[in-house]
Amino acid sequence: MKALEPFTETIVIEDEESTQTLPEITADMKEIIEKALQSGPTQAVLSEGYKLQILKQDMLTLKGLNWLNDEVINFYMNMLMERGENDNMPKVHAFNTFFYPKLMGAGHSAVRRWTKRVDVLAVDYILIPVHLGMHWCLAIIDFRNKCIKYYDSMGGNNNKCLNALRQYLCEESLDKKKQQFDLSGWTSVNVKDIPQQMNGSDCGMFACKYAEYITRGAEITFTQDDMPYFRRRMVYEIMKKKLLQ
């Protein structure tokens, strides 16, 4: 197959005043959150769903300034997929956190069986969590706008990721549909002027919230100041297996 010509550009999202009201964490919700984060057996199962388990040790990564782990991010991404099954919501497929290193290390052949039972070319968004050793980012394949986007809460670029995902679309189409993927009109962008983290620990939260806002069709208007709230809210959402918004 002929190699694709790399294509990248940078886009800017204009800052707008937020008109959104974040759901309140009520007293009853607070009780559930605090119980989930209190000390206890680290192997205790706190939530189950999507063929995944969230243990106490996983939930504690949402406490304070801890780094989110794979289990929490994968569970949250599954909730975004589940929300996409509702009427009038964009259809979402989220690859788990092991997809990106597999794709980058061995190409499409290493992940071709991951979509044996799902047509990822028929959704509105594909979410790809990107772990760069000590830092979480997010890539999104946006079929509605024919764009592959990379979101980094520390402002970095990742053209290798963008180009690998373009190649993935082509090879997935050939493998599953036996036809060339039409890349005409598609762009690849490192998104800039998005909310940035002001510490060294909230990258996973930013990646998750980028995904949540985008797949809800909302303007990305949160800030670093919202992260303590979002951490506690995510604890509750995972416990209830349901997104608040």
Side-chain angles (χ1 to χ4, degrees), residues 96-112 114 128-132 139 148 150 157-168 171:
N96 71 31
T97 53
F98 305 106
F99 174 83
Y100 180 72
K102 285 277 189 181
L103 178 68
M104 299 305 290
H108 181 269
S109 61
V111 294
R112 64 180 297 270
W114 290 35
I128 305 99
V130 175
H131 195 215
L132 303 176
I148 306 171
Y150 186 77
N157 297 329
N158 194 340
N159 294 341
K160 287 184 178 180
C161 172
L162 293 172
N163 291 327
L165 292 177
R166 285 173 65 87
Q167 187 75 31
Y168 172 81
E171 296 190 26

Side-chain angles (χ1 to χ4, degrees), residues 43-68:
Q43 296 301 305
V45 177
L46 298 187
S47 187
E48 292 184 88
Y50 321 110
K51 299 181 180 179
L52 301 171
Q53 288 185 331
I54 295 295
L55 307 180
K56 169 75 76 170
Q57 65 185 18
D58 303 319
M59 195 70 85
L60 289 175
T61 68
L62 284 163
K63 187 175 183 179
L65 293 175
N66 293 323
W67 291 334
L68 271 60

Side-chain angles (χ1 to χ4, degrees), residues 33-44 46 53-76 97 131 136 199-206 208 227-236 238-239:
I33 293 166
E34 292 180 350
K35 184 177 181 181
L37 295 177
Q38 68 187 17
S39 59
T42 58
Q43 296 301 305
L46 298 187
Q53 288 185 331
I54 295 295
L55 307 180
K56 169 75 76 170
Q57 65 185 18
D58 303 319
M59 195 70 85
L60 289 175
T61 68
L62 284 163
K63 187 175 183 179
L65 293 175
N66 293 323
W67 291 334
L68 271 60
N69 67 5
D70 293 83
E71 287 73 20
V72 166
I73 290 176
N74 288 331
F75 202 93
Y76 191 76
T97 53
H131 195 215
W136 287 106
N199 58 32
S201 56
D202 276 330
C203 53
M205 285 302 307
F206 273 84
C208 286
M227 290 303 134
Y229 161 83
F230 280 136
R231 281 176 176 267
R232 292 173 63 78
R233 170 175 157 178
M234 194 181 292
V235 171
Y236 180 81
I238 289 174
M239 291 297 292

